[in-house]
Amino acid sequence: MHLNYSLICIPPLHHSEAVQGTVGQLECNITSPITGDRAILVIWYKGAQTIPFYTLFMLHPVTAWLGAYSRGCRAACRRRVVDKNPYRLVHSVRNWFDARDIREGSHRSSNSSFDGRTNFYPNRAPAMLEILQTKPTDSGIYRCRVDFHKSPTRNTRVQLTVIVPPEKLLIVDEKGSHIRHYILGPYNEGATINITCISTGGRPLPKVQWWYENKVINNTSVVLSDKRVKNTLVLHRLERKHLKSVFTCQAANNNVTNPISASITLDMNLRPLSVRLQGKNRPLSANHTYDLQCEVLGSRPAPTITWWKGSTQMRGHHETTDPDGNITVSILSFRPTIDDKGKYLSCRAEMAVIPDAGKEDGWKLDIYHVPVVTLEYGTNYNYTSSIPEGVDVYFECNIKSNPWVYKVIWRHYVSVFLEVE
């Protein structure tokens, strides 16, 4: 005996998806192709199971059974009802069906794995079986069998896929180390870095993306295993604008639940933008104390500030930094001397973490002071001995003054005998 496979009719396979924990919906067409006909029995099976997990009697159970009997289930009926006497036939049918089914539109769930999570809605278009709080084990092929009063039995197959969202994300740096407190760095301005986001769990495997300022900047996912997917983000030549930037990794495998996400904040070391001595370069008076201020803008972290007079490093200064860490001010208590005139006073900002980031600003000092006068004999005559009476005597008046004197007065005791302007 040869089996003709062309006569075997396999119902088409429909597809349905549900996210774990949501409602799974399986459609079943219970409309008869014959006008005036109606479904009398709906039975749901899962996989290759022969015992239904859900049954709906659309008519009185006895009527449904008799309809099935009349359409060719004689062999099955004979196994349950031996005597064809109508009275005993009805009596046997009553013993076969559960007493709770002896009413029109009776629902019966008989599979403990669903634990009362299934409901069938015949009045929807199309009719729908709902599985509440779906689990991964609910995935599979379901078969809906519909018996009609007149029309032949119809079978519908539905493939239910329960989507399991990804479980967690891990962000690591280029060394593969976990990023503590989700603060990445600090990295020097101009550096190139890479960060990797690893997603664990999920069925199907999720797509992992990097976001920055509400835009996707990298959507290249690499599958590591049947449970892990990664996405590596490379940032070339970091700029000042990247300081405190937030980069977000998202993993999703459906459009129903929100993606899981993790964010990191980028910390950076920034070279100073400017170093400037405050105020104008004006003359300073010798032996007076001044508080000179030097402002460093844009350095992160706060720079090391030193003061120099020529090649000599100066002491006696202190620094303050604003709460944002963007401006550092150094104040030097400076008492110039006459000898400081013409020297170069400078403020220098340096950073140990960025060796070539040093900047400085300075002034050429102009020191005002009162005239300093010395009187001595003329250099062309040797006055080592007493001076004879009647001999000419030469004196030199040496003057050191800034600004220059406008008048020189010669006195003998208290008497003025010469004025030079």
Side-chain angles (χ1 to χ4, degrees), residues 171-182:
I171 301 178
V172 297
D173 59 20
E174 59 269 13
K175 297 179 181 179
S177 302
H178 173 64
I179 300 173
R180 296 185 59 189
H181 310 299
Y182 296 95

Side-chain angles (χ1 to χ4, degrees), residues 57 59-62 93-106:
F57 297 97
L59 298 175
H60 192 286
V62 175
V93 170
R94 285 177 177 172
N95 292 333
W96 180 28
F97 288 105
D98 191 283
R100 61 187 175 183
D101 295 329
I102 310 301
R103 63 185 186 276
E104 183 169 340
S106 175

